[in-house]
Amino acid sequence: MLTARVHRHRYMAAYSMIQFASVLILYSIGAILGNWQFLYIDLFLVLPLAFISVYTGPHHKLSKRRPVCTLLSREVLVSLLSQTLVNVMFQVLAFLSLRMQPWYTPLVPNPDINNIVCPETSAVFLVANLQYISSVAAFSSGKPFRQPVFRNCTSQPCSRSLYEAGAEADPHNHQTCSRDS
């Protein structure tokens, strides 16, 4: 039970850092995530994953080693910071690779509208969705305390369907963004 709580807290901290990085990247060009995207992330992606991930069963063999008892231990903080660094790098990589496409035209922020529906927002939103799902696997404690995350029968189908729903829910009509012509 203790490992499940530490896992849940690490996941919630990683979720906050992923969302913070997404917002910072988009603010740097004058775009933002929409309210419906935040609602989807919070209510339909993170919440089910947080509940489902703790249903991974215990390991079949009892370990002599004690689990991490505090959230401020070196092991927890190093894993959280390194995972956050990897997540930020992948979001920046997706953002920069979008900007290198031959068909890409830079966003010209319009102060009269929220610059929500544009390729930059879609790219960052979809990569962040994958990161929310992959963080569940990254922070699952597995052996010697719990079974591997792939043994959780509800986690995999739920993760896949949640990502697919997010890809479908992403506003992909790019006509509301101001572009240089």
Side-chain angles (χ1 to χ4, degrees):
M1 190 66 167
L2 179 63
T3 57
R5 289 182 188 198
V6 171
H7 162 74
R8 190 179 313 155
H9 283 90
R10 281 195 296 185
Y11 177 66
M12 295 310 287
Y15 145 70
S16 299
M17 297 305 291
I18 292 168
Q19 200 166 64
F20 181 68
S22 301
V23 169
L24 282 181
I25 290 169
L26 293 174
Y27 275 4
S28 72
I29 60 157
I32 60 172
L33 286 172
N35 290 338
W36 290 106
Q37 289 171 317
F38 280 118
L39 181 69
Y40 171 77
I41 291 167
D42 292 342
L43 198 58
F44 299 113
L45 189 65
V46 172
L47 190 64
L49 288 173
F51 283 118
I52 290 172
S53 66
V54 297
Y55 286 117
T56 304
H59 197 268
H60 65 278
K61 212 176 193 184
L62 192 60
S63 174
K64 292 180 183 179
R65 201 176 94 190
R66 292 184 61 197
V68 176
C69 296
T70 177
L71 294 172
L72 296 177
S73 70
R74 184 180 322 161
E75 179 184 337
V76 171
L77 291 177
V78 167
S79 70
L80 181 62
L81 292 175
S82 60
Q83 183 69 25
T84 299
L85 182 64
V86 169
N87 287 339
V88 169
M89 287 182 354
F90 271 99
Q91 284 188 23
V92 169
L93 182 68
F95 181 73
L96 293 176
S97 66
L98 171 72
R99 296 182 82 133
M100 288 189 224
Q101 299 303 315
W103 46 264
Y104 175 78
T105 54
L107 172 69
V108 178
N110 184 348
D112 297 330
I113 64 168
N114 289 332
N115 298 299
I116 297 171
V117 186
C118 49
E120 295 90 348
T121 304
S122 294
V124 171
F125 175 71
L126 291 174
V127 169
N129 284 349
L130 278 175
Q131 290 174 340
Y132 296 127
I133 294 169
S134 67
S135 291
V136 169
F139 290 125
S140 67
S141 29
K143 193 175 180 179
F145 306 113
R146 299 176 75 192
Q147 292 180 356
V149 71
F150 62 85
R151 293 282 179 111
N152 186 342
C153 298
T154 57
S155 178
Q156 292 178 0
C158 181
S159 298
R160 182 176 176 176
S161 62
L162 288 172
Y163 179 74
E164 289 172 356
E168 289 297 320
D170 180 44
H172 205 63
N173 181 2
H174 304 295
Q175 297 172 356
T176 60
C177 283
S178 301
R179 299 280 174 196
D180 278 333
S181 297

